[in-house]
Amino acid sequence: MLPHLHPRQRRIGIAVGALAVLVLLLLSHSFGRAVPTNNYRPLITTDAIASGCYPLPGNARLDLPYQVRWDGDVETAQGERRILRGQYDLVDLDEAVERLVASFTAVGFAPDPSEHSALPSDDSLTLSKGAERVTITVTELPGTSAETLVRGTFVLDLPVAEPARPDDPVCADPKSTKRWGDR
C-alpha cells in the first residue's frame, strides 16, 4: 500500500504527470513518422519494350494495351531463345491475336508456311522472316468481361536480343526491362 501523501504533494505529482503528458503530446509528431512528400504514387518505370533496351525483332511495336511481366533468355531444345511474357488489356482474345500478329507482319514477318492452322484454336502461331522466327501464344483469362481490365496473357518466343544501349541506366534496371534473371 502506498504511504499517505499530503494534499500538496499529491497536487505536485498530478501537475508533473500532466506536464509530462503535455510534453509528449507536443513532441509526438516527430516520433516515428514518415516525412510527408505529397507524392503518394510510386515512380512508373519505362515500358520494357518502348524503352528500346531490348527491341523486338524488326523493331516491331505492340499495338495493343499491355504490360510486360517478364523478359529473358532461356535455353530451349532449339538453342537459346528470348521469352517475353505479358498481359493484354481491354481487348478480347481475337483482337489481341490480330493486333499481336499485325505488329510483326508490319515489319516483314509472315505466317510460317508449315503452320496448318492459326490462333486461337491452337493457342500459338509462328511467324518468320528469313531465318528469324517468332511464336505468339495467347491465352484468355477465364471469367473476364467488358468491364475487366486485364483480359489475358501472351507469350512471345523470340530470337535473343542484345541490349541496344548497354550503358544506359534504364537498360540495367530490371524494373524497366523486366529481365529479373529468373523464370
Side-chain angles (χ1 to χ4, degrees), residues 37-73:
T37 62
N38 296 326
N39 181 7
Y40 300 103
R41 295 183 184 263
L43 294 175
I44 297 175
T45 58
T46 306
D47 177 83
I49 297 172
S51 71
C53 293
Y54 291 89
L56 295 175
N59 287 320
R61 295 283 181 212
L62 300 185
D63 182 28
L64 78 162
Y66 68 91
Q67 303 88 41
V68 172
R69 306 302 296 160
W70 188 86
D71 184 4
D73 302 330

Side-chain angles (χ1 to χ4, degrees), residues 142-155:
T144 60
S145 68
E147 290 79 36
T148 308
L149 176 64
V150 177
R151 306 276 179 89
T153 62
F154 63 89
V155 177

